[in-house]
Amino acid sequence: MIYTDGTKLFFTASRRADSASMSLKNGDIVNAKILSLKTDGAARIFFNGHIFEGNVSGALKEGDSLKMRVIIDSDRVFLLPEKGSETSSSKDIFSKLGLPQNELISNIIAFFTATETRLDEKSINRIFNFLQKKAAKSSLKEKERGAFAASLIESKGLELSDELFSQIYAAIFGGGRDKNDDEVLEMINHLKGEGLHWIILPFEREFDSSKAAGSLALLLDIGLKELKSLVLRCNFKKEPSGADESWIFSLHDKEFTFMREDAELSKKEKEDLEKLFTFCLKESGFFDSEAASVFVRYGEPPKFDPPPSVDLRV
């Protein structure tokens, strides 16, 4: 048995009788990424094109990517960091998938990474080919949104079509309610993909002088019964002027972000809103202790970067 620092194994998982683990051999070097890590050492790690659940005992942190050596003992798989190994360039994942490194592909891979889903070349190619013509005249924001909508459809095992894509895109990003939104999103929400599960809920609410409509996206870990991420997109229509304001709010890990999408705010406006939302989160119990506090900032939600390198063998 190989140990690190003389005493500690770094990742241990049961060896399942399927292609994800049976293709592994003693001594294999894999590129692995720690996807999630709990205080008790329970972890999810991505390597060999699949998600493995096991236990970490060492100095690894959530989000770490590194080369690791496979040690197989009976019904267990051990992973140990390779001494002196350097993290591969992020370009490796694009070359392994045979795809160009551009904004559209990055957004598609970010969806798969966020949902801890196997990076499947065929699926990514289908999404890329479907969006390529649409993306030619799209802004960066539209490319990001299109990649999310198309990847959501693909991850649910549905066939990508112009009609379904348009319905899903409008339901999530349209900023208004349509009678078909509930039916389309109900279908999407009841189909579970490989990894984590996005649920999209449209909403509409009237206030004294304005009306709000949009969508709430929840990234759920059904197995662990955890909320991994939350994104609220909201369009406010003020009365009687009818002026619109588009906002996006996000909660991921211990970071709460917010931003206005249709206009830039002054520094003072941002600071005042950061204080307001910090107060609101405190009132809601998000600051019960220092460890549980949430960081509040103005800006875009954090992006899920693809792992620097992934072994795609199955």
Side-chain angles (χ1 to χ4, degrees), residues 185-269:
L185 292 179
E186 184 177 359
M187 174 189 67
I188 287 286
N189 291 339
H190 282 80
L191 296 171
K192 191 178 183 308
E194 284 184 50
L196 304 184
H197 186 39
W198 276 111
I199 288 181
I200 315 292
L201 304 172
F203 70 89
E204 195 172 72
R205 184 173 180 181
E206 292 190 12
F207 301 95
D208 291 339
S209 59
S210 64
K211 181 178 180 180
S215 65
L216 172 66
L218 305 171
L219 182 59
L220 304 176
D221 186 322
I222 303 299
L224 297 178
K225 297 181 180 179
E226 285 184 348
L227 173 65
K228 305 291 285 188
S229 186
L230 175 154
V231 180
L232 176 69
R233 297 181 181 276
C234 192
N235 180 270
F236 291 93
K237 186 178 289 291
K238 294 185 177 180
E239 302 296 345
S241 65
D244 284 352
E245 290 185 9
S246 296
W247 291 78
I248 179 170
F249 306 90
S250 168
L251 179 61
H252 178 69
D253 291 334
K254 294 184 178 181
E255 185 173 67
F256 175 85
T257 64
F258 65 97
M259 68 176 294
R260 183 169 172 179
E261 296 189 285
D262 59 331
E264 183 57 42
L265 302 184
S266 68
K267 182 179 179 181
K268 185 178 186 309
E269 287 174 323

Coordinates of all heavy atoms in Angstrom, one line a residue, residues 185-269:
L185 N -41.8 23.7 -18.4 CA -40.9 23.5 -17.3 C -41.2 22.4 -16.4 O -40.4 21.7 -15.8 CB -40.8 24.8 -16.5 CG -40.1 26.0 -17.3 CD1 -40.1 27.2 -16.4 CD2 -38.7 25.6 -17.7
E186 N -42.5 22.1 -16.3 CA -42.9 20.9 -15.5 C -42.4 19.6 -16.1 O -41.9 18.8 -15.4 CB -44.5 20.8 -15.4 CG -45.0 19.7 -14.5 CD -46.5 19.7 -14.4 OE1 -47.1 20.5 -15.0 OE2 -47.0 18.8 -13.7
M187 N -42.4 19.6 -17.4 CA -41.8 18.4 -18.1 C -40.3 18.3 -17.8 O -39.8 17.3 -17.5 CB -42.1 18.5 -19.6 CG -41.4 17.4 -20.4 SD -41.5 17.7 -22.2 CE -40.5 19.2 -22.4
I188 N -39.6 19.4 -18.0 CA -38.2 19.5 -17.7 C -37.8 19.1 -16.3 O -36.9 18.3 -16.0 CB -37.6 20.9 -18.1 CG1 -37.6 21.1 -19.6 CG2 -36.2 21.0 -17.5 CD1 -36.5 20.3 -20.3
N189 N -38.6 19.6 -15.3 CA -38.3 19.4 -13.9 C -38.5 18.0 -13.5 O -37.9 17.5 -12.5 CB -39.2 20.3 -13.1 CG -38.8 21.8 -13.2 OD1 -37.7 22.1 -13.6 ND2 -39.7 22.7 -12.9
H190 N -39.3 17.2 -14.2 CA -39.6 15.8 -13.8 C -38.7 14.8 -14.4 O -38.8 13.6 -14.2 CB -41.1 15.5 -14.1 CG -42.0 16.0 -13.0 ND1 -42.4 17.3 -13.0 CD2 -42.6 15.5 -11.9 CE1 -43.2 17.5 -12.0 NE2 -43.4 16.4 -11.3
L191 N -37.7 15.3 -15.3 CA -36.8 14.5 -15.9 C -35.4 14.7 -15.2 O -34.9 15.8 -15.2 CB -36.7 14.8 -17.4 CG -37.9 14.5 -18.2 CD1 -37.7 15.0 -19.6 CD2 -38.2 13.0 -18.3
K192 N -34.8 13.6 -14.7 CA -33.6 13.8 -14.0 C -32.4 13.3 -14.9 O -32.5 12.3 -15.6 CB -33.6 12.9 -12.7 CG -32.3 13.2 -11.8 CD -32.4 12.4 -10.6 CE -31.2 12.8 -9.7 NZ -29.9 12.7 -10.3
G193 N -31.4 14.1 -14.9 CA -30.2 13.8 -15.7 C -29.2 12.9 -14.9 O -29.6 12.3 -13.9
E194 N -28.0 12.8 -15.4 CA -27.0 11.9 -14.8 C -26.5 12.4 -13.4 O -26.4 11.7 -12.4 CB -25.7 11.8 -15.7 CG -25.9 11.0 -16.9 CD -24.6 10.9 -17.6 OE1 -23.6 10.6 -17.0 OE2 -24.6 11.1 -18.9
G195 N -26.2 13.7 -13.3 CA -25.6 14.2 -12.1 C -26.6 15.0 -11.2 O -27.6 14.4 -10.9
L196 N -26.3 16.2 -10.9 CA -27.2 17.0 -10.1 C -28.3 17.5 -11.0 O -28.3 17.3 -12.2 CB -26.4 18.2 -9.5 CG -25.2 17.9 -8.7 CD1 -24.6 19.2 -8.2 CD2 -25.5 17.0 -7.6
H197 N -29.3 18.0 -10.3 CA -30.6 18.2 -11.0 C -31.1 19.7 -10.9 O -31.3 20.2 -9.9 CB -31.7 17.3 -10.2 CG -33.0 17.3 -10.8 ND1 -33.2 17.2 -12.1 CD2 -34.2 17.2 -10.2 CE1 -34.6 17.1 -12.4 NE2 -35.2 17.2 -11.2
W198 N -31.2 20.3 -12.1 CA -31.7 21.7 -12.2 C -33.2 21.6 -12.2 O -33.8 20.9 -13.0 CB -31.2 22.4 -13.5 CG -29.9 23.0 -13.4 CD1 -28.8 22.6 -14.1 CD2 -29.5 24.2 -12.7 NE1 -27.7 23.4 -13.8 CE2 -28.2 24.4 -12.9 CE3 -30.2 25.0 -11.8 CZ2 -27.5 25.5 -12.3 CZ3 -29.5 26.1 -11.2 CH2 -28.2 26.3 -11.5
I199 N -33.8 22.4 -11.4 CA -35.3 22.6 -11.4 C -35.5 24.1 -11.7 O -34.9 25.0 -11.0 CB -35.9 22.2 -10.0 CG1 -35.9 20.7 -9.9 CG2 -37.3 22.8 -9.9 CD1 -36.6 20.2 -8.6
I200 N -36.4 24.4 -12.6 CA -36.6 25.8 -13.0 C -38.1 26.1 -12.7 O -39.0 25.5 -13.2 CB -36.4 26.0 -14.5 CG1 -35.1 25.4 -15.0 CG2 -36.5 27.5 -14.9 CD1 -33.9 26.1 -14.4
L201 N -38.3 27.2 -11.9 CA -39.7 27.6 -11.5 C -40.0 29.0 -12.0 O -39.3 29.9 -11.5 CB -39.8 27.5 -10.0 CG -39.5 26.1 -9.3 CD1 -39.4 26.3 -7.8 CD2 -40.4 25.1 -9.8
P202 N -40.9 29.2 -12.9 CA -41.3 30.5 -13.3 C -42.1 31.2 -12.1 O -42.8 30.5 -11.4 CB -42.2 30.3 -14.5 CG -42.7 28.9 -14.3 CD -41.7 28.1 -13.6
F203 N -42.1 32.5 -12.0 CA -42.9 33.1 -11.0 C -43.4 34.5 -11.5 O -42.9 35.1 -12.5 CB -42.1 33.3 -9.7 CG -41.0 34.3 -9.8 CD1 -41.2 35.7 -9.6 CD2 -39.7 34.0 -10.2 CE1 -40.2 36.6 -9.7 CE2 -38.7 34.9 -10.3 CZ -39.0 36.2 -10.1
E204 N -44.4 35.0 -10.8 CA -44.9 36.3 -11.1 C -45.5 36.9 -9.8 O -46.2 36.2 -9.1 CB -46.0 36.2 -12.2 CG -46.4 37.5 -12.8 CD -47.4 37.2 -14.0 OE1 -48.5 36.8 -13.8 OE2 -46.9 37.3 -15.2
R205 N -45.2 38.2 -9.6 CA -45.8 38.8 -8.3 C -46.0 40.3 -8.6 O -45.2 40.9 -9.2 CB -44.7 38.6 -7.2 CG -45.3 39.1 -5.9 CD -44.3 38.7 -4.7 NE -44.8 39.2 -3.5 CZ -44.2 39.1 -2.3 NH1 -43.0 38.4 -2.3 NH2 -44.7 39.6 -1.2
E206 N -47.1 40.8 -8.0 CA -47.5 42.2 -8.2 C -47.2 42.9 -6.8 O -47.6 42.4 -5.8 CB -48.9 42.3 -8.6 CG -49.2 41.8 -10.0 CD -50.6 42.2 -10.5 OE1 -51.2 43.0 -9.8 OE2 -51.0 41.6 -11.5
F207 N -46.7 44.1 -7.0 CA -46.5 45.0 -5.8 C -47.3 46.2 -6.0 O -48.0 46.4 -7.0 CB -45.0 45.4 -5.7 CG -44.1 44.2 -5.5 CD1 -43.4 43.6 -6.6 CD2 -43.9 43.6 -4.3 CE1 -42.6 42.5 -6.5 CE2 -43.0 42.5 -4.1 CZ -42.4 42.0 -5.2
D208 N -47.2 47.2 -5.1 CA -48.0 48.4 -5.2 C -47.8 49.2 -6.5 O -48.7 49.7 -7.1 CB -47.8 49.3 -4.0 CG -48.3 48.7 -2.7 OD1 -49.2 47.8 -2.8 OD2 -47.9 49.1 -1.6
S209 N -46.5 49.3 -6.8 CA -46.1 50.2 -8.0 C -45.3 49.4 -9.0 O -44.8 50.1 -9.9 CB -45.4 51.4 -7.5 OG -44.2 51.0 -6.8
S210 N -45.2 48.1 -8.9 CA -44.5 47.4 -9.9 C -44.9 45.9 -10.0 O -45.7 45.5 -9.1 CB -43.0 47.4 -9.6 OG -42.7 46.8 -8.4
K211 N -44.5 45.3 -11.0 CA -44.8 43.9 -11.2 C -43.5 43.1 -11.5 O -42.7 43.6 -12.4 CB -45.8 43.7 -12.4 CG -46.3 42.3 -12.7 CD -47.3 42.3 -13.8 CE -47.7 40.9 -14.1 NZ -48.7 40.9 -15.3
A212 N -43.3 42.0 -10.9 CA -42.1 41.2 -11.1 C -42.4 39.9 -11.7 O -43.4 39.2 -11.3 CB -41.4 41.0 -9.8
A213 N -41.6 39.4 -12.7 CA -41.8 38.1 -13.3 C -40.4 37.6 -13.7 O -39.5 38.4 -14.0 CB -42.7 38.2 -14.5
G214 N -40.2 36.3 -13.6 CA -38.9 35.7 -14.0 C -38.9 34.2 -13.7 O -39.9 33.6 -13.8
S215 N -37.7 33.8 -13.4 CA -37.5 32.3 -13.1 C -36.6 32.1 -12.0 O -35.6 32.9 -11.8 CB -37.0 31.6 -14.3 OG -35.7 32.0 -14.7
L216 N -36.8 31.1 -11.2 CA -36.0 30.6 -10.1 C -35.4 29.3 -10.5 O -36.1 28.3 -10.7 CB -36.7 30.5 -8.8 CG -36.0 29.9 -7.6 CD1 -34.9 30.8 -7.2 CD2 -37.0 29.7 -6.4
A217 N -34.0 29.2 -10.6 CA -33.3 28.0 -10.9 C -32.6 27.4 -9.7 O -31.9 28.1 -9.0 CB -32.3 28.2 -12.1
L218 N -32.9 26.2 -9.4 CA -32.4 25.5 -8.2 C -31.5 24.3 -8.7 O -32.0 23.4 -9.4 CB -33.5 25.0 -7.3 CG -34.5 26.1 -6.8 CD1 -35.6 25.4 -6.1 CD2 -33.8 27.1 -5.9
L219 N -30.3 24.3 -8.2 CA -29.4 23.1 -8.6 C -29.4 22.2 -7.3 O -28.9 22.6 -6.3 CB -28.0 23.6 -8.9 CG -27.0 22.4 -9.3 CD1 -27.5 21.7 -10.5 CD2 -25.6 23.0 -9.6
L220 N -30.0 21.0 -7.5 CA -30.2 20.1 -6.3 C -29.4 18.9 -6.4 O -29.2 18.3 -7.5 CB -31.7 19.7 -6.2 CG -32.7 20.9 -6.1 CD1 -34.1 20.3 -6.2 CD2 -32.5 21.7 -4.9
D221 N -28.9 18.4 -5.3 CA -28.3 17.1 -5.2 C -29.4 16.2 -4.5 O -29.6 16.3 -3.3 CB -27.1 17.1 -4.3 CG -26.3 15.8 -4.3 OD1 -27.0 14.7 -4.2 OD2 -25.1 15.8 -4.2
I222 N -30.1 15.4 -5.4 CA -31.2 14.6 -4.9 C -30.8 13.6 -3.9 O -31.4 13.4 -2.8 CB -31.9 13.9 -6.0 CG1 -32.4 15.0 -7.1 CG2 -33.1 13.1 -5.5 CD1 -33.4 16.0 -6.5
G223 N -29.6 13.0 -4.1 CA -29.1 11.9 -3.2 C -28.8 12.4 -1.8 O -29.2 11.8 -0.8
L224 N -28.1 13.6 -1.8 CA -27.7 14.1 -0.5 C -28.7 15.1 0.1 O -28.6 15.6 1.2 CB -26.3 14.9 -0.6 CG -25.1 14.0 -1.0 CD1 -23.9 14.9 -1.2 CD2 -24.9 12.9 0.0
K225 N -29.8 15.4 -0.7 CA -30.9 16.3 -0.3 C -30.3 17.6 0.0 O -30.6 18.2 1.1 CB -31.7 15.7 0.8 CG -32.4 14.4 0.5 CD -33.2 13.8 1.6 CE -33.9 12.5 1.2 NZ -34.7 12.0 2.3
E226 N -29.5 18.2 -0.9 CA -28.8 19.5 -0.7 C -29.1 20.4 -1.8 O -29.3 20.0 -3.0 CB -27.3 19.3 -0.5 CG -26.8 18.7 0.8 CD -25.3 18.7 0.8 OE1 -24.7 18.9 -0.2 OE2 -24.8 18.4 1.9
L227 N -29.2 21.7 -1.5 CA -29.3 22.8 -2.5 C -27.8 23.2 -2.8 O -27.1 23.7 -1.9 CB -30.1 23.9 -2.0 CG -30.1 25.2 -2.9 CD1 -30.8 24.9 -4.2 CD2 -30.8 26.3 -2.2
K228 N -27.4 23.0 -4.0 CA -26.0 23.4 -4.4 C -25.9 24.8 -4.9 O -24.9 25.5 -4.7 CB -25.5 22.4 -5.5 CG -25.6 21.0 -5.1 CD -24.6 20.6 -4.0 CE -23.2 20.5 -4.5 NZ -22.3 19.9 -3.5
S229 N -26.9 25.3 -5.5 CA -26.8 26.7 -6.1 C -28.2 27.2 -6.4 O -29.2 26.4 -6.6 CB -26.0 26.6 -7.4 OG -25.8 27.9 -7.9
L230 N -28.4 28.5 -6.4 CA -29.7 29.1 -6.6 C -29.4 30.3 -7.5 O -28.5 31.1 -7.2 CB -30.3 29.5 -5.3 CG -31.6 30.3 -5.3 CD1 -32.4 30.0 -4.0 CD2 -31.4 31.8 -5.4
V231 N -30.3 30.5 -8.5 CA -30.2 31.6 -9.4 C -31.6 32.2 -9.7 O -32.4 31.4 -10.2 CB -29.5 31.3 -10.8 CG1 -29.4 32.5 -11.7 CG2 -28.1 30.7 -10.6
L232 N -31.8 33.4 -9.3 CA -33.1 34.1 -9.5 C -32.9 35.2 -10.6 O -32.1 36.1 -10.4 CB -33.6 34.7 -8.2 CG -34.9 35.5 -8.3 CD1 -36.1 34.6 -8.5 CD2 -35.1 36.3 -7.0
R233 N -33.7 35.1 -11.7 CA -33.7 36.1 -12.7 C -35.0 36.8 -12.6 O -36.1 36.1 -12.6 CB -33.5 35.5 -14.1 CG -32.1 34.8 -14.2 CD -32.0 34.2 -15.6 NE -30.7 33.6 -15.8 CZ -29.5 34.2 -16.0 NH1 -29.5 35.5 -16.3 NH2 -28.4 33.5 -16.1
C234 N -35.0 38.1 -12.6 CA -36.2 38.9 -12.3 C -36.3 40.1 -13.2 O -35.3 40.9 -13.3 CB -36.3 39.2 -10.8 SG -37.9 39.8 -10.3
N235 N -37.5 40.3 -13.8 CA -37.7 41.5 -14.5 C -38.8 42.3 -13.8 O -39.9 41.8 -13.6 CB -38.2 41.2 -16.0 CG -38.5 42.4 -16.8 OD1 -39.6 42.9 -16.9 ND2 -37.4 42.9 -17.5
F236 N -38.5 43.6 -13.5 CA -39.4 44.5 -12.8 C -40.0 45.5 -13.8 O -39.3 46.1 -14.5 CB -38.8 45.2 -11.7 CG -38.4 44.4 -10.5 CD1 -37.1 43.9 -10.4 CD2 -39.2 44.1 -9.5 CE1 -36.7 43.1 -9.4 CE2 -38.8 43.4 -8.4 CZ -37.6 42.8 -8.3
K237 N -41.3 45.6 -13.9 CA -42.0 46.5 -14.7 C -42.7 47.6 -13.8 O -43.6 47.2 -13.0 CB -43.0 45.9 -15.6 CG -43.7 46.9 -16.6 CD -44.6 46.2 -17.5 CE -43.9 45.3 -18.5 NZ -43.1 46.1 -19.5
K238 N -42.2 48.8 -13.8 CA -42.7 49.8 -13.0 C -43.9 50.5 -13.6 O -44.0 50.7 -14.8 CB -41.6 50.9 -12.7 CG -40.4 50.3 -11.9 CD -39.4 51.4 -11.6 CE -38.3 50.9 -10.7 NZ -37.3 52.0 -10.4
E239 N -44.9 50.8 -12.7 CA -46.1 51.5 -13.1 C -46.1 52.9 -12.5 O -45.6 53.1 -11.4 CB -47.3 50.7 -12.6 CG -47.4 49.3 -13.1 CD -47.6 49.2 -14.7 OE1 -47.9 50.2 -15.3 OE2 -47.4 48.1 -15.2
P240 N -46.6 53.9 -13.2 CA -47.3 53.8 -14.5 C -46.4 54.0 -15.7 O -46.8 54.0 -16.8 CB -48.3 55.0 -14.4 CG -47.6 56.0 -13.6 CD -46.8 55.3 -12.6
S241 N -45.1 54.2 -15.4 CA -44.1 54.5 -16.5 C -43.9 53.3 -17.4 O -43.7 53.5 -18.6 CB -42.8 55.0 -15.9 OG -42.2 53.9 -15.2
G242 N -44.0 52.1 -16.9 CA -43.8 50.9 -17.7 C -42.4 50.6 -17.9 O -42.0 49.7 -18.7
A243 N -41.4 51.3 -17.2 CA -40.0 51.1 -17.4 C -39.6 49.7 -16.8 O -40.2 49.3 -15.8 CB -39.2 52.2 -16.6
D244 N -38.7 49.1 -17.5 CA -38.2 47.7 -17.1 C -36.9 47.8 -16.4 O -36.0 48.6 -16.7 CB -38.1 46.8 -18.3 CG -39.5 46.3 -18.8 OD1 -40.5 46.6 -18.1 OD2 -39.5 45.7 -19.9
E245 N -36.7 46.9 -15.4 CA -35.4 46.6 -14.8 C -35.2 45.1 -14.8 O -36.0 44.4 -14.3 CB -35.3 47.2 -13.4 CG -35.3 48.7 -13.3 CD -35.1 49.2 -11.9 OE1 -34.8 48.4 -11.0 OE2 -35.2 50.4 -11.7
S246 N -34.0 44.7 -15.2 CA -33.7 43.2 -15.2 C -32.6 43.0 -14.2 O -31.5 43.6 -14.3 CB -33.2 42.8 -16.6 OG -34.3 42.9 -17.5
W247 N -32.8 42.0 -13.3 CA -31.9 41.7 -12.2 C -31.6 40.2 -12.2 O -32.4 39.4 -12.6 CB -32.4 42.2 -10.9 CG -32.5 43.6 -10.7 CD1 -33.5 44.5 -11.2 CD2 -31.6 44.5 -10.0 NE1 -33.2 45.8 -10.8 CE2 -32.1 45.8 -10.1 CE3 -30.4 44.2 -9.2 CZ2 -31.4 46.9 -9.5 CZ3 -29.8 45.3 -8.6 CH2 -30.3 46.6 -8.7
I248 N -30.4 39.9 -11.7 CA -30.1 38.5 -11.4 C -29.5 38.3 -10.0 O -28.6 39.1 -9.6 CB -29.1 37.9 -12.5 CG1 -28.8 36.5 -12.2 CG2 -27.9 38.8 -12.6 CD1 -28.1 35.8 -13.4
F249 N -30.0 37.4 -9.2 CA -29.5 37.1 -7.9 C -29.0 35.7 -7.8 O -29.7 34.8 -8.4 CB -30.6 37.4 -6.9 CG -31.3 38.7 -7.0 CD1 -32.4 38.9 -7.8 CD2 -30.8 39.8 -6.2 CE1 -33.0 40.2 -7.9 CE2 -31.4 41.0 -6.3 CZ -32.5 41.2 -7.2
S250 N -27.9 35.5 -7.1 CA -27.4 34.1 -7.1 C -26.9 33.8 -5.7 O -26.3 34.7 -5.0 CB -26.2 34.0 -8.1 OG -25.5 32.8 -7.9
L251 N -27.1 32.6 -5.2 CA -26.5 32.1 -4.0 C -25.8 30.8 -4.3 O -26.4 29.8 -4.7 CB -27.6 31.9 -2.9 CG -27.1 31.3 -1.6 CD1 -26.2 32.3 -0.9 CD2 -28.3 31.1 -0.7
H252 N -24.5 30.7 -4.1 CA -23.7 29.5 -4.3 C -22.6 29.4 -3.2 O -21.9 30.4 -3.0 CB -23.0 29.6 -5.7 CG -22.1 28.4 -6.0 ND1 -22.6 27.1 -6.2 CD2 -20.8 28.2 -6.0 CE1 -21.7 26.3 -6.4 NE2 -20.5 26.9 -6.3
D253 N -22.6 28.3 -2.5 CA -21.8 28.1 -1.4 C -22.0 29.2 -0.4 O -23.2 29.3 0.1 CB -20.3 28.0 -1.8 CG -20.0 26.8 -2.6 OD1 -20.7 25.7 -2.4 OD2 -19.0 26.8 -3.4
K254 N -21.1 30.0 -0.1 CA -21.2 31.1 0.9 C -21.2 32.5 0.2 O -20.8 33.4 0.9 CB -20.2 31.0 2.0 CG -20.4 29.7 2.9 CD -19.4 29.7 4.0 CE -19.6 28.5 4.9 NZ -18.7 28.5 6.0
E255 N -21.5 32.5 -1.0 CA -21.4 33.8 -1.8 C -22.8 34.1 -2.4 O -23.4 33.4 -3.1 CB -20.4 33.7 -2.9 CG -20.2 35.0 -3.6 CD -19.0 34.9 -4.6 OE1 -19.1 34.2 -5.6 OE2 -18.0 35.6 -4.3
F256 N -23.3 35.3 -2.0 CA -24.5 35.9 -2.6 C -24.1 37.0 -3.5 O -23.4 38.0 -3.1 CB -25.4 36.4 -1.5 CG -26.6 37.1 -2.0 CD1 -27.8 36.4 -2.3 CD2 -26.7 38.5 -2.1 CE1 -28.9 37.0 -2.7 CE2 -27.8 39.1 -2.6 CZ -28.9 38.4 -2.9
T257 N -24.5 36.9 -4.8 CA -24.2 37.9 -5.8 C -25.5 38.5 -6.3 O -26.5 37.8 -6.4 CB -23.4 37.4 -6.9 OG1 -24.1 36.4 -7.7 CG2 -22.1 36.8 -6.4
F258 N -25.4 39.7 -6.8 CA -26.6 40.4 -7.4 C -26.1 41.4 -8.4 O -25.0 42.0 -8.3 CB -27.5 41.0 -6.4 CG -26.8 42.2 -5.7 CD1 -27.0 43.5 -6.1 CD2 -26.0 42.0 -4.6 CE1 -26.4 44.6 -5.5 CE2 -25.4 43.1 -4.0 CZ -25.6 44.4 -4.4
M259 N -26.8 41.6 -9.5 CA -26.5 42.6 -10.4 C -27.6 43.0 -11.3 O -28.6 42.2 -11.5 CB -25.3 42.2 -11.3 CG -25.6 41.1 -12.3 SD -24.2 40.7 -13.4 CE -24.1 42.2 -14.3
R260 N -27.6 44.3 -11.8 CA -28.6 44.7 -12.7 C -28.1 44.4 -14.1 O -27.0 44.9 -14.4 CB -28.9 46.2 -12.5 CG -30.0 46.7 -13.4 CD -30.5 48.1 -13.1 NE -31.5 48.6 -14.1 CZ -32.1 49.7 -14.1 NH1 -31.8 50.5 -13.1 NH2 -32.9 50.1 -15.1
E261 N -28.9 43.8 -14.9 CA -28.4 43.3 -16.2 C -28.5 44.4 -17.3 O -27.8 44.3 -18.3 CB -29.0 42.0 -16.6 CG -28.8 40.8 -15.7 CD -29.3 39.5 -16.3 OE1 -30.5 39.3 -16.3 OE2 -28.4 38.8 -16.8
D262 N -29.5 45.3 -17.2 CA -29.8 46.2 -18.3 C -29.2 47.6 -18.0 O -29.3 48.5 -18.9 CB -31.3 46.4 -18.4 CG -32.0 46.9 -17.1 OD1 -31.4 46.6 -16.0 OD2 -33.0 47.5 -17.2
A263 N -28.4 47.8 -17.0 CA -27.8 49.1 -16.7 C -26.7 49.0 -15.7 O -26.7 48.0 -14.9 CB -28.9 50.1 -16.2
E264 N -25.8 49.9 -15.7 CA -24.7 49.9 -14.7 C -25.0 50.8 -13.6 O -25.6 51.9 -13.7 CB -23.4 50.3 -15.4 CG -22.2 50.3 -14.5 CD -21.9 48.9 -13.9 OE1 -22.0 47.9 -14.7 OE2 -21.6 48.8 -12.7
L265 N -24.7 50.3 -12.4 CA -25.0 51.1 -11.2 C -23.7 51.9 -10.7 O -22.6 51.5 -11.0 CB -25.4 50.2 -10.0 CG -26.7 49.3 -10.3 CD1 -27.0 48.6 -9.0 CD2 -27.9 50.2 -10.7
S266 N -23.9 53.0 -10.0 CA -22.8 53.7 -9.5 C -22.2 53.0 -8.3 O -22.8 52.0 -7.7 CB -23.3 55.1 -9.0 OG -24.1 55.0 -7.8
K267 N -21.0 53.3 -7.9 CA -20.3 52.7 -6.8 C -21.1 52.8 -5.5 O -21.2 51.8 -4.8 CB -18.9 53.3 -6.6 CG -18.1 52.7 -5.5 CD -16.7 53.3 -5.4 CE -15.9 52.7 -4.3 NZ -14.6 53.3 -4.1
K268 N -21.7 54.0 -5.3 CA -22.5 54.2 -4.1 C -23.7 53.3 -4.1 O -24.1 52.7 -3.1 CB -22.9 55.7 -3.9 CG -23.6 55.9 -2.6 CD -24.0 57.4 -2.5 CE -24.5 57.7 -1.1 NZ -25.6 56.8 -0.7
E269 N -24.4 53.2 -5.2 CA -25.6 52.3 -5.3 C -25.2 50.9 -5.0 O -26.0 50.2 -4.3 CB -26.2 52.5 -6.7 CG -26.9 53.8 -7.0 CD -27.4 53.9 -8.4 OE1 -26.6 53.5 -9.4 OE2 -28.4 54.5 -8.7

